[in-house]
Structures are given as structure tokens and as C-alpha cells.
């Protein structure tokens, strides 16, 4: 119950807190960038004789870094070709695809009062199922590709649904179980990549052959870009999840369970079954993120197939307030941070870690609305009466 | 101490919950605040206690205008509140709860629990409470928990005490004791503001009465006014305080409970061989002091009570062992005793709450697609026919006043196709006008030819509404009597003294 209240508290409210949390985190990131900058350090040595130097060095470092972040993630106005100019945006979208898909899954579970933090494992299961179908068959594209994607959905749904089943039958806490399941999934993948099930023939590394051409998610803008059909699937899922949660009776029951389990029970909602369904839907969405990686982005199975998408997804769901469109916005932001960080390091020597710091401070600020409120002097939310 | 509220105005968005309200509370006086559900009483008290900030007007304490940014400041200024939903921490002991927020400490910051115990004992003996300072609050009956709240207020030296519907959760006996405590507090020179919907209590203890309606003060009343006068002043029309019903038109006994026995999780027998039958067209009231198995009986029928044996038959079909959904689908309407916990989803809108137990079927869903148009139309009708005071069907349940929340639950349960209605304390927290309305609805359900089971703690309600009255004591039905049985006799049965 305590846990549920906390989740509810963090997720209630509107878009104001998330937006300010992002702004605050960027400001904080800027301070760190300035501190870590060599010119700033030098100039501050003679701060009292020439304070102007320090100030301009600070401005230069921060503006330079964030300019690089912008050019690396949205629009590179310094590029020589049109392709080069829009490339960053497509990279952002490519990164945003798995993060958003998994984030949608987590949003469904959070809304339903289940704290699923097993997206990482569910992505891996989705990737394994989709990869298996992609590696083992030769079929016409119109059958093979959808089948592989559905297999990914199924893999994630099974892995997630199993957690729901455990919770429904034994009362196991889903937080603990999903954490353990992340390890199990990763170890299983690592193991299978060393057996003929997945490992490419004549390979010593834990890596699979490329998935069949006919199972791949086709590229969108051609070979120069990493963008692929997974983006379209992701956008469709944003709408689908919105519909599920707000226009279907199933989503209505999910939300009722999330807000007030005892009222849901009194109203005849089958709680154990709903736990299983919620976790299956949640895992299925993460599974599609795995499918999108193995069939669209990497085109083969590796141990790093899920990167840190499953963990980023937690923040993205938080930041998006569990609203599918909010999750999309947050997913795009995180995709942008990831793709922009590369150029920021290359051009400005700002360590990629700064992006991690920004991401983490976002979590911190979101989890502490009063902190954000006092920082920006926002009014208190209206108290709820008994 | 003299507390004056002057021209208090409080708005929620463009809705004015308090409109220029004046109120004076003086030492040695019990000031009753009367008003319909949603009139703005709790809002006014929350403003006074610093939980809400007023949009206009001022709070004047002993001639000095003051402002409270939060309950902490109000408490420091000597204002205490006994909340309807207790603000105690169930796993703490009485002593720990009482000192929470202003903990006495020994040197080095160690908690001085001994001091706290002493304070509790001292105040307990002053008021004749029998409270063990080391008892864990969660284990205490509601009535005792309420006393802990009172002690808590007194320890921080409150001079003004606010009681917001304190008797809604009390047994008649506990209510009488609370009245006594309030009188004693008054004699000690405290100023008391007392909110209640029960006019008998008002007449018993009030020194002054202020009536508010639709957020405005409509006038003062005297304790010597008749209940009818008070009621009509509150509601703005004549109210019929007795239940009007024709003699029951009885049919066959379509609801039968046989040898129902149940155990609590800790193994105590909570239902002890309970058997009864209810006929079509009959209201069967189960009276008794709360905590004598009524909750378990209701939950057994609904199918959420564990460790229960026996038989529950509706129209010949066994209900025991069926899922809640199956039970509801077989035509059982269920009004739970705790509406905020079991009856409503606070974060859902009124409309959403109205389809809570039917979201998966027509007219609210086609396949799994919700039919929002149908829902909104339905909700609009119910808002009108049940006189739910809210800005719209899209208001969230937690923005409704207590009484209006109850009406939402009733509207939902009474608008299904029923073969049996079970309602626990259906009028808890309702104003006199709404009680009249709800009683009419229950009688109408009876007259439509279904068996009705009402669980009541109020004797008046039990005898006025019931065609037969059963009394429960310690998990047993100790007697089934006619509604014109003497109050004293019923009281004896409820106390376990068999006639
Ligand atoms: N947080 C809120 N947001 C919006 N409206 C609110 C809020 N709190 C109360 N209201 C509205 O203000 C009005 C007054 O509510 P209040 O709780 O003060 O009534 P009340 O007199 O205490 O009623 P009851 O006897 O039913 O407890 C109601 O119409 C209610 O819907
Ligand atoms: Mg109230």
C-alpha cells in the first residue's frame, strides 16, 4: 500500500513538474559542464583581476556543449550536405524507438499500480523470440516480418505475464521478481549465444548470424540512415496504448486496480487475472522494443541488444507521467540526449557521462516535486479533501 | 479565547464553496454548524485549520487578524481538529501518536516517551478515558481512536476544537459518551465547533447553531427549535423525517442464508451459525453495534470473505464460493460500509465511478470498446435524479463532499437490474434531505419486489426502515423482532442481554 501511494504521488499532477524537472536538470548539467571545463578553471584562477574572462569562459563552455548537443540530436546546421543536416534527427528517432516502446509498457503497469522494473529482461525476451523467428525461417517478407515482430511481443508478454502470475498466485512482490528476472533473462541470452541455438557458425564471440532479410524491419530513408520501420510501430503503439487505457474496458479496469484495489475488488474486477494481463501487456510492449532492435537496428542478436533501454524506460515513463503522449515526448528527449552526447564529446570534449547526470537529475527532480516547486516557486497543488 | 471568521470566501476554480461566511466561536460554547451535503462546512473548517488558503475574508483570534499557512501554525495558535478520517499512525502506540509533531525530548535529543505516557494518563484521567498509553492505535476501536485524537489536540493546548462529523463512525453508546466529553471540554473553557447531520445531537449539546446552504450562511437557529424546523432551514424545504411506506407486499423467501460460519484470518469466529430468510418485497434490517460480524456477513454474501462455510441462496442458486463478479451478475446490488475504501475510486470521475462494476458490458462497452457517449448520458441522468451536487459528471470523486460521494455509490448500485439489495449504513454522512431521498429509493427497491438487506447501526433507521429487525451480537443473530419493539429492548439485545 505504501509503495502504491508513493507511485500515485509521483505520477499524479500535470505536465508542469516534468517540464521544470527537465529545465532544472539542464541547468544543473550546465553548471557541471562549466566546472569541468579547462578554460573555466584557468580563468577562475585570476577571477578577481579579470572576472570577465571567467564569465565568458563559462558561457563559451556551456553554450558550446549544448550547441553540440543540439547539432548532434536535432539539426546539424554546420553539416555540408542535406543528409548530414537531418541525420541527427533520424538518429534521435532511432534511439527513441525502443526507449519509447518499453516506456509505454512501463507506463501501463505503473498506471495499474504495478511497479514493473523488468523492462530490461522483457526487451531481451522479446529480442530472443523475434531473433529466433528471424534466424530460423525463410518466408515471404509479408509473413515473416510481422511474424517475427509478433514473436517479440509474445516473448515479452510471456516473460512479463509470468511475473503477474507469480504475484497473483503467491503474492510475490513484482519489484523484487522483475529485478531478478532481468538477471535471468540476460544470463539466459548470454548462455544461448554460446550455443548453436543462437551463435553464428564459426563464431567464437557470443553473437548470432544476421536475421533473414525477409524478417527485417525495412529502413525508412534509405541506407544512409539507421531509421527503420520500428518507428512506425512505435508511433502506432502510442495511439494503441492511449486507446487501451482510456477507451477500452480493459484499460478502465487496469486503472481502477491501480487507483484503488479494494474498490476494484468490490466492483467484481478479477484482480489476479488483471495482474497477469497488466504484466503481459506491459512486457509485450517491451518485447516489441526488443524485436525492433533485433529486426531493425542491430539485425542480429548480441548480449548488448537491450543496451540500457529498459532502465531509461523507467525514467521515460516517470517523466511522461504514464501518459502515452507524455511518454513519447520523454522518449524523444532521451533519444536526443543519447544521440547528441556523441557529438558533444567529440566536438567539445564534454564527457558522455554528463548526459547520464542530466538523466539522473531528472529522476531526482521528478521524485521530489516539492524541490522543483520551491526552486521555481510554483504554487502548491490543491489539497484533496476527505 | 474568541475566534471570529469574517467574510470567508473559498473558491475551487470558478466554483464558490464558501461565500462570505461569518462565524464566531467563543470559549465555553458549543457552536453547531449545520448544512446540507456539499454546503461547504468541511471546506470552511479546512480554511480555519490552515489546510486551504481562503480567497477572501479573515480569521480573527482574540481581536488579532491571523493567517495560517498550514495546520502546524493553526495548532500553535491553539486550534485543534478531530478529523473525520483520523490522522493517526496505526502502527504507533497511543503515546507516540499523541506527541507526533511536538515530541518532548531529553537532553541529546532522545525521545522522552515516559513524559508522553504521563501526559496521556493525565488527560485520560481528567476526562475519564480508559486509555493505555502503550496500546497500538491500529488495534483500538474507532471510538477510542477518536479519543486519542482529542488527547492529541488537548496536549498541544488547543483552545478551539473542531469536530467534523465525529459521530458518523460511532456507536450510539460512544456517541453519548462523546457528547459528555464535549460538554466537559466546554466547561473547561474550550470553544467547540461541531459539525453533524444528526439533529438529535445538535439539540442535545448546541449553544448556538449556524446554518449554511450553498456556501452561504442562511441564518442562526436555536437549540430549542424543533427538529423539523432545523431540517427545513438546512434544506430549504419541508423534510419528512419519518419513513413513508406502505405495508410490505410479501412474496416468497427468495434470499436464504443458512448456517453461515466464518473465521477471521487470526482464527476467531466472526460469524457463528447465522441463518435467516428474506422475502421478496421485504426490508430486513440487521441492527447491532458495529464490529459484531455485520461486515463479515456482507462480505460473505459478496464473496470476498475467506474461511466461510454454510449456504447463501438467491432464487435457489448458491452464491457462496462464487466470484464477486458472478455474485454481482446474478443481480446483487452492494453498498459497502466504507465508501472511500471500497465503494469509489477517488481519482476517477463521477461518470467513471458510475460504471465501475459494469464497465465490460452494454450499454457502457461494446466488445472492449467503451461507449463513452452512453456513459455520459447515463451519468448526466443520475446526477439529476440522485441530486448529486457536483459541477459536472467529470468532477473527480475526491472533489465531492462526503454525502455526495455516498450518492454516487447508491446511484450506481440502485440503477442495476436487481434481485437483491444489500446496503451497509446507506445513509452514513448524509444530510436529512438526502436521507429522505435514499430511504424512498430503498423502499422503492423493496416495492419492486426484491428482498432488501440493510445493515444499520442507528436504531432510528433500523426501526423506521425495516419490516423486520434482526440484532447481531458477537457474530450471532440473537433475535429477530418487529420494528415496533421498544428502543430499550432493542438496546438490550444489541448489548448481548437476551430478552
Ligand atoms: N478540492 C476540491 N476541488 C473542487 N471542489 C471541491 C473541493 N473540495 C470541495 N469541493 C466542493 O465544495 C463544496 C463543499 O464541499 P464540503 O466538503 O465543504 O461540503 P460539506 O458541507 O462538508 O458536505 P458533507 O456534509 O457532505 O461533508 C462541494 O460542492 C464540493 O464538491
Ligand atoms: Mg464534510
Amino acid at each position: 500500500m505504501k509503495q502504491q501511494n508513493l507511485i500515485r504521488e509521483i505520477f499524479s499532477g500535470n505536465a508542469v513538474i516534468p517540464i521544470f524537472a527537465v529545465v532544472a536538470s539542464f541547468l544543473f548539467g550546465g553548471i557541471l559542464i562549466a566546472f569541468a571545463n579547462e578554460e573555466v578553471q584557468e580563468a577562475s584562477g585570476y577571477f578577481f583581476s579579470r572576472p570577465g574572462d571567467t564569465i565568458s569562459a563559462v558561457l563559451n563552455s556551456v553554450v558550446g556543449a549544448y550547441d553540440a548537443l543540439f547539432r548532434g540530436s536535432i539539426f546539424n546546421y554546420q553539416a555540408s550536405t542535406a543528409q548530414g543536416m537531418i541525420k541527427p534527427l533520424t538518429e534521435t528517432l532511432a534511439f527513441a524507438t525502443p526507449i519509447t516502446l518499453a516506456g509505454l509498457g512501463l507506463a501501463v503497469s505503473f498506471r495499474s499500480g504495478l511497479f514493473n522494473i523488468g523492462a530490461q529482461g522483457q526487451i531481451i525476451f522479446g529480442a530472443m523470440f523475434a531473433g529466433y523467428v528471424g534466424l530460423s525461417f525463410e518466408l515471404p517478407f509479408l509473413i515473416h516480418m510481422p511474424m517475427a515482430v509478433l514473436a517479440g511481443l509474445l516473448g515479452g508478454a510471456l516473460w512479463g505475464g509470468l511475473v503477474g502470475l507469480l504475484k497473483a498466485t503467491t503474492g510475490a512482490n513484482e519489484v523484487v521478481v522483475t529485478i531478478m528476472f532481468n538477471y535471468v533473462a540476460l544470463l539466459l541470452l548470454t548462455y544461448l549465444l554460446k550455443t548453436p541455438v543462437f551463435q553464428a557458425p564459426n563464431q567464437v564471440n557470443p553473437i548470432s548470424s544476421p536475421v533473414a532479410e525477409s524478417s527485417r524491419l525495412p529502413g525508412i530513408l534509405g541506407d544512409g540512415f539507421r531509421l527503420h520501420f520500428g518507428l512506425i510501430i512505435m508511433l502506432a503503439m502510442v495511439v494503441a496504448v492511449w486507446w487501451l487505457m482510456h477507451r477500452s474496458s480493459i484499460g478502465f479496469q487496469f486503472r481502477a486496480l491501480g487507483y484503488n484495489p479494494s474498490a476494484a475488488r468490490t466492483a467484481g474486477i478479477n484482480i489476479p487475472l488483471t495482474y497477469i494481463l497488466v504484466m503481459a501487456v506491459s512486457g509485450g510492449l517491451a518485447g516489441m522494443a526488443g524485436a525492433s532492435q533485433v529486426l531493425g537496428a542491430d539485425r542480429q542478436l548480441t548480449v548488448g541488444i537491450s543496451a540500457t533501454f529498459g532502465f531509461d524506460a523507467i525514467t521515460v515513463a516517470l517523466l511522461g507521467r504514464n501518459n502515452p503522449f507524455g511518454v513519447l515526448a520523454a522518449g524523444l528527449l532521451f533519444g536526443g540526449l543519447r544521440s547528441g552526447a556523441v557529438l558533444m564529446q567529440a566536438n567539445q570534449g564534454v564527457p558522455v557521462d554528463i548526459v547520464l547526470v542530466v538523466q539522473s537529475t531528472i529522476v531526482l527532480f521528478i521524485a521530489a516535486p516539492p524541490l522543483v516547486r520551491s526552486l521555481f516557486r510554483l504554487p502548491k497543488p490543491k489539497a484533496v479533501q476527505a | 479565547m474568541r475566534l471570529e471568521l469574517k467574510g470567508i470566501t473559498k473558491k475551487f476554480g470558478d466554483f464558490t464553496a464558501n461565500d462570505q461566511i461569518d462565524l464566531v466561536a467563543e470559549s465555553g460554547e458549543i457552536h453547531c454548524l449545520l448544512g446540507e451535503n456539499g454546503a461547504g462546512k468541511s471546506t470552511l473548517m479546512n480554511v480555519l485549520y490552515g489546510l486551504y488558503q481562503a480567497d477572501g475574508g479573515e480569521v480573527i483570534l482574540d481581536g488579532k487578524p491571523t493567517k495560517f499557512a498550514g495546520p502546524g501554525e493553526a495548532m500553535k495558535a491553539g486550534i485543534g481538529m478531530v478529523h473525520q478520517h483520523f490522522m493517526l499512525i496505526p502502527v504507533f502506540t497511543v503515546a507516540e501518536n499523541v506527541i507526533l509533531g511536538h515530541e518532548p525530548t531529553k537532553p541529546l535529543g532522545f525521545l522522552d516517551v515516559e513524559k508522553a505516557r504521563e501526559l496521556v494518563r493525565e488527560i485520560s484521567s481528567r476526562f475519564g478515558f480508559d486509555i493505555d498509553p502503550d496500546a497500538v492505535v491500529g488495534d483500538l476501536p474507532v471510538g477510542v481512536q477518536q479519543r486519542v485524537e482529542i488527547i492529541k489536540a488537548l496536549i498541544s493546548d488547543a483552545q478551539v476544537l473542531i469536530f467534523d462529523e465525529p459521530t458518523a463512525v460511532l456507536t450510539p453508546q460512544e456517541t453519548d459518551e462523546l457528547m459528555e466529553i464535549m460538554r466537559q471540554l466546554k466547561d473547561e473553557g474550550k470553544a467547540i465547533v461541531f459539525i453533524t447531520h444528526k439533529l438529535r445531537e445538535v439539540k442535545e449539546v448546541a449553544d448556538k447553531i449556524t446554518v449554511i446552504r450553498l456556501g452561504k450562511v442562511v441564518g442562526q437557529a436555536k437549540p430549542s427549535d424543533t427538529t423539523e424546523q432545523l431540517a427545513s432551514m438546512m434544506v430549504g424545504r419541508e423534510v419528512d423525517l419519518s419513513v413513508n411506506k406502505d405495508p410490505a407486499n410479501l412474496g416468497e423467501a427468495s434470499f436464504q442464508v443458512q448456517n453461515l460460519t466464518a473465521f477471521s484470518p487470526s482464527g476467531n469466529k466472526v460469524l457463528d451459525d447465522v441463518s435467516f430468510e428474506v422475502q421478496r418485497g421485504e426490508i430486513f434490517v440487521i441492527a447491532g453495534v458495529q464490529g459484531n460480524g455485520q461486515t463479515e456477513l456482507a462480505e460473505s454474501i459478496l464473496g470476498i470473505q475467506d474461511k466461510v462455510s454454510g449456504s447463501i441462496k438467491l432464487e435457489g442458486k448458491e452464491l457462496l464460493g462464487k466470484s464477486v463478479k458472478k455474485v454481482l451478475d446474478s443481480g446483487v446490488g452492494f453498498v459497502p460500509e466504507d465508501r472511500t475504501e471500497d465503494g469509489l475510486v477517488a481519482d476517477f470521475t463521477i461518470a467513471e465511478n458510475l460504471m465501475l462494476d459494469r464497465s465490460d458490458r452494454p450499454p457502457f462497452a461494446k466488445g472492449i470498446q467503451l461507449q463513452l457517449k452512453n456513459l455520459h448520458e447515463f451519468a448526466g441522468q443520475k446526477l439529476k435524479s440522485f441530486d448529486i451536487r457536483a459541477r459536472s459528471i467529470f468532477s473527480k470523486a475526491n472533489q465531492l463532499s462526503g454525502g455526495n460521494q455516498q450518492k454516487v455509490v447508491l446511484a450506481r448500485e440502485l440503477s442495476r437490474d436487481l434481485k437483491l439489495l444489500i446496503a451497509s449504513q446507506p445513509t452514513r454522512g448524509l444530510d436529512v434531505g438526502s436521507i429522505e431521498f435514499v430511504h424512498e429509493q430503498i423502499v422503492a427497491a423493496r416495492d419492486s419486489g426484491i428482498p432488501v438487506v440493510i445493515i444499520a447501526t442507528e436504531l432510528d433507521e433500523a426501526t423506521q426502515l425495516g419490516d423486520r429487525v434482526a440484532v447481531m451480537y458477537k457474530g450471532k443473530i440473537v433475535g429477530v423482532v418487529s420494528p415496533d419493539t421498544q428502543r430499550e429492548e432493542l438496546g438490550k439485545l444489541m448489548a448481548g442481554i437476551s430478552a
Side-chain angles (χ1 to χ4, degrees):
Chain A
M1 281 295 101
K2 265 280 143 58
Q3 185 191 329
Q4 228 135 20
N5 284 341
L6 181 71
I7 296 174
R8 208 176 303 155
E9 173 134 350
I10 292 175
F11 288 137
S12 62
N14 45 27
V16 175
I17 295 284
I19 288 171
F20 278 102
V22 170
V23 173
S25 308
F26 272 98
L27 290 176
F28 182 67
I31 295 172
L32 289 189
I33 290 169
F35 264 107
N37 187 279
E38 274 172 28
E39 276 147 45
V40 175
Q41 286 167 357
E42 232 166 72
S44 63
Y46 51 89
F47 178 80
F48 289 104
S49 45
R50 280 161 61 195
D53 279 14
T54 310
I55 292 167
S56 73
V58 166
L59 283 179
N60 274 340
S61 66
V62 176
V63 170
Y66 283 150
D67 175 57
L69 189 67
F70 177 80
R71 281 186 285 122
S73 64
I74 298 175
F75 185 73
N76 189 355
Y77 54 83
Q78 292 181 354
S80 47
T81 60
Q83 198 185 32
M85 286 182 183
I86 61 159
K87 173 104 181 159
L89 185 62
T90 65
E91 284 294 298
T92 294
L93 293 174
F95 278 122
T97 299
I99 300 177
T100 308
L101 274 170
L104 286 171
L106 296 190
V108 168
S109 72
F110 295 167
R111 254 286 137 82
S112 313
L114 292 179
F115 209 37
N116 170 18
I117 46 179
Q120 193 74 0
Q122 290 144 14
I123 292 174
I124 291 175
F125 254 76
M128 288 199 288
F129 272 57
Y132 184 79
V133 171
L135 288 166
S136 320
F137 303 101
E138 281 295 341
L139 291 164
F141 169 76
L142 279 180
I143 299 174
H144 202 179
M145 188 276 277
M147 197 170 115
V149 173
L150 285 180
L153 186 146
L154 183 71
L158 285 175
W159 199 233
L162 186 57
V163 178
L165 185 70
L166 285 174
K167 186 176 174 76
T169 53
T170 68
N173 182 305
E174 74 278 6
V175 176
V176 178
V177 177
T178 48
I179 291 177
M180 300 315 287
F181 271 33
N182 284 341
Y183 289 108
V184 176
L186 182 62
L187 292 172
L188 185 67
L189 173 67
T190 314
Y191 167 73
L192 289 177
L193 274 171
K194 288 183 193 144
T195 69
V197 178
F198 282 142
Q199 194 171 33
N202 315 322
Q203 260 289 358
V204 283
N205 296 325
I207 217 169
S208 79
S209 314
V211 293
E213 197 76 42
S214 58
S215 70
R216 292 184 189 172
L217 293 166
I220 288 182
L221 290 173
D223 285 342
F225 298 94
R226 288 203 308 131
L227 210 54
H228 57 83
F229 193 68
L231 174 72
I232 311 292
I233 296 182
M234 179 269 271
L235 292 173
M237 284 304 127
V238 171
V239 179
V241 167
W242 173 81
W243 182 86
L244 178 79
M245 294 308 278
H246 295 279
R247 288 291 179 273
S248 83
S249 56
I250 295 177
F252 179 78
Q253 300 189 352
F254 282 10
R255 289 187 291 132
L257 174 67
Y259 283 133
N260 187 347
S262 37
R265 185 175 70 154
T266 309
I269 293 171
N270 185 335
I271 308 253
L273 180 69
T274 310
Y275 280 151
I276 299 172
L277 272 179
V278 167
M279 286 302 298
V281 170
S282 179
L285 285 158
M288 279 205 264
S292 155
Q293 283 310 97
V294 79
L295 305 171
D298 295 3
R299 300 182 170 184
Q300 63 182 166
L301 266 175
T302 63
V303 282
I305 191 81
S306 61
T308 57
F309 299 136
F311 299 114
D312 294 345
I314 299 174
T315 319
V316 162
L318 278 165
L319 190 57
R321 293 273 129 148
N322 291 340
N323 174 311
F325 299 102
V327 170
L328 174 62
L332 290 172
L333 174 72
F334 270 51
L337 285 174
R338 237 168 204 272
S339 72
V342 183
L343 192 68
M344 200 161 76
Q345 174 156 34
N347 262 3
Q348 303 285 316
V350 175
V352 181
D353 304 325
I354 205 79
V355 162
L356 257 180
V357 173
V358 170
Q359 289 181 356
S360 320
T361 32
I362 289 177
V363 180
L364 190 74
F365 281 122
I366 290 188
L371 185 63
V372 177
R373 247 180 260 124
S374 67
L375 265 179
F376 293 97
R377 304 192 188 289
L378 298 176
K380 263 202 227 156
K382 287 245 164 72
V384 173
Q385 72 150 109
Chain B
M1 168 109 90
R2 180 189 156 91
L3 169 81
E4 193 177 350
L5 298 179
K6 220 172 173 180
I8 297 287
T9 298
K10 172 70 195 170
K11 294 185 174 162
F12 294 109
D14 53 8
F15 173 80
T16 310
N18 286 165
D19 192 358
Q20 302 270 354
I21 292 190
D22 297 331
L23 188 80
V24 179
E26 261 170 307
S27 274
E29 226 178 54
I30 298 179
H31 196 143
C32 273
L33 203 51
L34 274 183
E36 292 176 279
N37 295 127
K41 305 177 297 291
S42 297
T43 304
L44 183 68
M45 292 305 114
N46 286 336
V47 166
L48 171 57
Y49 195 55
L51 280 166
Y52 291 155
Q53 300 306 313
D55 297 305
E58 52 187 352
V59 178
I60 303 168
L61 262 180
D62 285 333
K64 274 199 300 279
T66 29
K67 251 204 157 75
F68 306 131
E73 287 180 22
M75 264 154 83
K76 272 208 200 87
I79 295 172
M81 185 152 171
V82 175
H83 298 267
Q84 188 173 349
H85 290 134
F86 303 142
M87 306 283 182
L88 299 171
I89 299 184
V91 296
F92 277 12
T93 66
V94 171
E96 287 166 341
N97 261 296
V98 157
I99 53 168
L100 198 68
H102 40 88
E103 301 84 356
T105 47
K106 291 193 273 209
L108 293 179
F110 285 105
L111 206 55
D112 192 351
V113 183
E114 195 38 53
K115 176 92 180 289
R117 288 202 191 96
E118 232 163 76
L119 283 168
V120 172
R121 278 195 214 104
E122 189 244 317
I123 295 180
S124 288
S125 71
R126 206 163 92 210
F127 288 91
F129 298 168
D130 180 21
I131 294 180
D132 172 10
D134 294 315
V136 174
V137 161
D139 298 341
L140 298 173
V142 235
V144 180
Q145 291 191 20
Q146 193 170 57
R147 289 174 190 187
V148 177
E149 284 243 338
I150 297 173
I151 294 181
K152 195 173 155 84
L154 291 177
I155 276 189
S156 57
D157 203 28
Q159 293 304 314
V160 180
L161 282 158
I162 305 166
F163 290 86
D164 192 353
E165 291 191 46
T167 57
V169 290
L170 299 185
T171 63
Q173 166 95 37
E174 285 171 331
T175 302
D176 290 343
E177 287 167 10
L178 178 66
M179 301 287 117
E180 197 40 54
I181 294 166
M182 293 206 306
R183 280 199 206 96
Q184 210 176 332
L185 287 166
K186 161 179 137 177
D187 293 341
E188 284 196 359
K190 313 281 184 207
I192 293 179
V193 181
F194 175 36
I195 299 176
T196 182
H197 287 295
K198 297 177 191 164
L199 300 176
R200 190 143 47 90
E201 295 166 6
V202 175
K203 290 176 57 68
E204 209 178 307
V205 295
D207 296 307
K208 275 194 195 148
I209 301 171
T210 297
V211 182
I212 60 179
R213 195 186 321 144
L214 299 172
K216 285 198 184 80
V217 173
V218 290
Q220 314 290 323
K222 293 187 297 295
S224 56
D225 291 343
T226 64
T227 358
E228 282 74 16
Q229 281 170 327
L230 291 175
S232 60
M233 188 159 175
M234 248 170 94
V235 187
R237 63 176 166 87
E238 292 296 311
V239 182
D240 194 343
L241 292 168
S242 59
V243 180
N244 276 323
K245 56 176 190 179
D246 299 326
N249 183 7
L250 299 177
E252 92 233 52
S254 65
F255 182 58
Q256 298 155 322
V257 172
Q258 264 157 22
N259 309 109
L260 206 63
T261 298
F263 295 88
S264 70
S266 53
N268 296 329
K269 207 179 240 187
V270 285
L271 287 179
D272 189 356
D273 200 23
V274 172
S275 301
F276 61 90
E277 288 186 347
V278 188
Q279 289 169 275
R280 290 176 192 270
E282 178 187 37
I283 297 178
F284 186 74
V285 170
I286 296 175
V289 175
Q290 223 178 343
N292 275 288
Q294 300 96 320
T295 311
E296 288 81 2
L297 174 62
E299 297 195 337
S300 300
I301 299 171
L302 186 65
I304 53 179
Q305 171 75 31
D306 293 329
K307 301 197 203 163
V308 51
S309 63
S311 151
I312 300 172
K313 284 208 174 95
L314 179 61
E315 300 193 346
K317 280 189 247 98
E318 181 63 49
L319 292 185
L320 200 65
K322 294 258 167 61
S323 69
V324 178
K325 189 172 160 60
K326 286 246 171 65
V327 170
L328 294 177
D329 286 356
S330 58
V332 177
F334 187 84
V335 178
E337 68 178 38
D338 187 340
R339 59 177 170 256
T340 46
E341 183 67 19
D342 300 320
L344 290 167
V345 176
D347 295 281
F348 274 180
T349 63
I350 294 175
E352 286 175 316
N353 271 298
L354 283 172
M355 69 160 173
L356 199 59
D357 51 10
R358 275 186 295 171
S359 61
D360 58 347
R361 71 198 64 180
F364 304 125
K366 201 166 162 193
I368 63 164
Q369 161 103 35
L370 291 178
Q371 303 296 312
L372 294 183
K373 221 177 116 216
N374 292 349
L375 172 65
H376 296 160
E377 210 169 280
F378 173 80
Q381 281 166 15
K382 293 299 155 191
L383 208 64
K384 255 205 220 105
S385 64
F386 278 79
D387 189 25
I388 299 167
R389 304 278 171 88
R391 256 170 297 162
S392 82
I393 57 167
F394 302 111
S395 301
K396 293 219 171 137
N398 60 18
Q399 296 176 346
L400 296 180
S401 74
N404 283 300
Q405 290 178 346
Q406 183 73 5
K407 289 192 208 168
V408 173
V409 178
L410 284 161
R412 177 179 73 221
E413 296 306 312
L414 286 174
S415 47
R416 304 200 348 234
D417 247 342
L418 295 184
K419 295 207 171 91
L420 168 70
L421 175 67
I422 299 173
S424 297
Q425 308 187 26
T427 56
R428 182 194 262 189
L430 293 189
D431 67 45
V432 282
S434 308
I435 290 176
E436 179 189 22
F437 173 77
V438 169
H439 283 168
E440 278 167 19
Q441 295 296 312
I442 289 173
V443 171
R446 173 196 85 159
D447 291 342
S448 75
I450 62 167
V452 176
V453 178
I454 302 292
I455 293 173
T457 52
E458 287 275 296
L459 274 184
D460 287 340
E461 179 159 62
T463 51
Q464 287 184 12
L465 204 52
D467 296 313
R468 277 191 298 154
V469 178
V471 178
M472 261 187 112
Y473 180 72
K474 293 206 168 151
K476 272 196 178 114
I477 289 192
V478 291
V480 181
V481 297
S482 121
D484 18 271
T485 310
Q486 292 293 311
R487 275 183 85 94
E488 291 71 43
E489 193 160 327
L490 274 170
K492 272 189 195 160
L493 278 173
M494 286 168 75
I497 306 161
S498 37

